[in-house]
Amino acid sequence: MANFVKAGFGIGTSILLAQLAFAAALILPVFHVARTRMDGIVAYAFGAAVLIMALALVHGEASDNVSISMHYNRWAWGLAFLAIPVAILPAREKGSDVVDGLILGLAMSFFILGKVTFAISFAPGLVLALLMRRAWVAMGIGLAVVVICTLIPTMLQGVAFWQAYVDDILQVTRSDIRPRAGVDWERMLFAPRFLIGNLVLVASFWVLRKGARPELGLILMVFAPGFFYVTYQNYGNDPKWLALLALLMWLTGTDMKHRVLAFAAAMLIAPSFLNMGASSYRHFAINEENYQAVFQAAPHTDVYTLTHRVNRVQERRTITFTNPQFAALNEVADKEPDIEFMGQTWPACKQELGLLGVMREMAADLRAFGLGDDARIYTADTFGSVWMFGGFEPLEDGSPWYYGALSGFENADYMLIFNCPINERAFRESIEAIKKLDDLEVKELRRNELYTLYSLTQ
């Protein structure tokens, strides 16, 4: 996507071109896996599932909206749908080991460099399946491809690349700003939304272990923790592994038990895939009058959002009652403490709607106040994107998301505080960390209903 933007395309067009490029790159691997391991409608359904995940404009689930966010999760699942059947299912003809190894190596390289959760989760199952099939050539080629792909960033940026990468991962895992992407473990295992699918998986273990292919039951048991962890870690907690389970159960047995379990798994995940498949066409049915461009500068006016999500500013606050008649409610409210910095107090608050409109107005006001193109602004919040709307300089070494470190703060000339934060916990932790810094001179420059701006000398 970034390369298409650098080439001069708008952000919206770049997103679509990147999706098409990724899908095009998957066509030959999809054809190979389907041709060597499947027949008829199953092969076509498999190909459709992989390409849907490459081209969808929503992460999954059954909510009929459009959002490109979490595209990397979909892409990683698409590659997992290639790698896992290659590892588990033997090819029907000889001579496919080289291509199998390339698919495995490229998929694992993508996981390692782009979505390491998938690498950690699926590596044990992939290795076990290949060992049990004695697929030595595929394993060797796959390992060689992984080594080559991981050496490239090492040669370009040195060992420091991996040190920074590991530090980032550890920072995220230790942070309590966003400890999980959705429900907790207990709900993901036992809540009604997930329980039936999990029981289908357990039943599949039993059928495979008791049938003619007990080794497949063992392999599936090794994959299961990875299925659960990826689902737990991905936004929306969409159990896309159910489609893989349906495929594997259909292809590894023809008796009624296999067919019933395959059908059950397919039906449980069908709404998600129907939603992803329809998302690319949903634009044709919307009322364009309800939308406006996210960015107002060409060529990036090709991304749109609902107008009310820009213009309607909504905040969530705990009410403090001043009437003595209701004062008792204040004492039992379990309210978060106020945040204090430089003599100013911010009550607990969370911005829930209108963030784009707020940032546009902030950027315009900062410009009017006198900040120029070279202004480097640190935002004490979960993310700071005001520079994108005001044409300011991006913060060197800054991070797109706050996970507990003041990334880029040492390079900032100014600090911006939202009067109502995007993420209250991120704001609170940022301020507490800044208070502990030595040799820092902070001066308030501007305060209004939207923000407070400080100059930084360090």
Side-chain angles (χ1 to χ4, degrees), residues 14 18 32 59 70 100 133 142 145 159 162 165 169 206 212 235 267 319 337 345 349 360 417 426-427 452:
S14 297
H32 169 79
H59 65 278
M70 273 59 72
D100 288 352
R133 286 207 299 110
V145 170
V159 178
W162 295 105
Y165 189 16
I169 294 171
W206 185 83
Y235 175 82
M267 290 301 98
I319 296 176
T345 300
C349 180
R360 283 180 187 173
I417 293 179
F427 171 47
T452 304

Side-chain angles (χ1 to χ4, degrees), residues 20 56 60 95 102 124 137 207 219 264 291-292 302 309 320 323 372 388 405:
L20 289 169
L102 290 173
V137 174
V207 168
I219 292 171
Y291 291 77
Q292 64 172 271
D302 54 356
R309 293 182 63 87
T320 300
N323 188 325
M388 299 174 67

Side-chain angles (χ1 to χ4, degrees), residues 289-321:
E289 295 180 356
N290 296 332
Y291 291 77
Q292 64 172 271
V294 172
F295 301 104
Q296 299 172 319
H300 303 304
T301 56
D302 54 356
V303 179
Y304 292 81
T305 189
L306 286 164
T307 297
H308 81 271
R309 293 182 63 87
V310 177
N311 297 340
R312 186 186 304 161
V313 180
Q314 290 183 188
E315 300 174 350
R316 184 174 66 191
R317 298 174 183 267
T318 303
I319 296 176
T320 300
F321 294 93

Side-chain angles (χ1 to χ4, degrees), residues 99-264:
V99 179
D100 288 352
L102 290 173
I103 291 172
L104 289 165
L106 291 172
M108 186 58 69
S109 298
F110 182 94
F111 298 156
I112 292 171
L113 294 169
K115 192 66 180 177
V116 73
T117 306
F118 283 73
I120 296 170
S121 299
F122 296 150
L126 292 172
V127 171
L128 177 63
L130 292 167
L131 287 173
M132 296 186 76
R133 286 207 299 110
R134 300 180 184 274
W136 310 120
V137 174
M139 284 184 67
I141 292 175
L143 181 60
V145 170
V146 170
V147 170
I148 292 170
C149 289
T150 52
L151 277 176
I152 292 173
T154 308
M155 291 186 294
L156 292 175
Q157 302 186 40
V159 178
F161 169 83
W162 295 105
Q163 293 172 335
Y165 189 16
V166 172
D167 287 343
D168 285 348
I169 294 171
L170 292 175
Q171 183 69 49
V172 172
T173 57
R174 293 167 181 165
S175 173
D176 59 356
I177 297 297
R178 190 171 179 258
R180 57 180 178 269
V183 300
D184 57 30
W185 273 107
E186 183 178 356
R187 290 185 180 180
M188 206 191 72
L189 293 175
F190 302 111
R193 173 188 166 194
F194 305 100
L195 182 59
I196 297 177
N198 297 341
L199 290 176
V200 170
L201 179 61
V202 173
S204 299
F205 296 157
W206 185 83
V207 168
L208 290 171
R209 292 293 291 169
K210 294 294 183 180
R213 304 289 297 276
E215 76 281 0
L216 293 180
L218 176 61
I219 292 171
L220 197 59
M221 290 174 69
V222 174
F223 270 113
F227 290 158
F228 288 140
Y229 185 68
V230 168
T231 304
Y232 169 78
Q233 194 269 343
N234 282 5
Y235 175 82
N237 306 122
D238 205 22
K240 292 183 175 63
W241 53 265
L242 282 166
L244 265 178
L245 179 63
L247 174 73
L248 294 173
M249 293 304 292
W250 188 272
L251 293 175
T252 56
T254 58
D255 58 83
M256 183 61 69
K257 293 177 182 178
H258 282 75
R259 292 293 190 250
V260 168
L261 290 170
F263 183 79

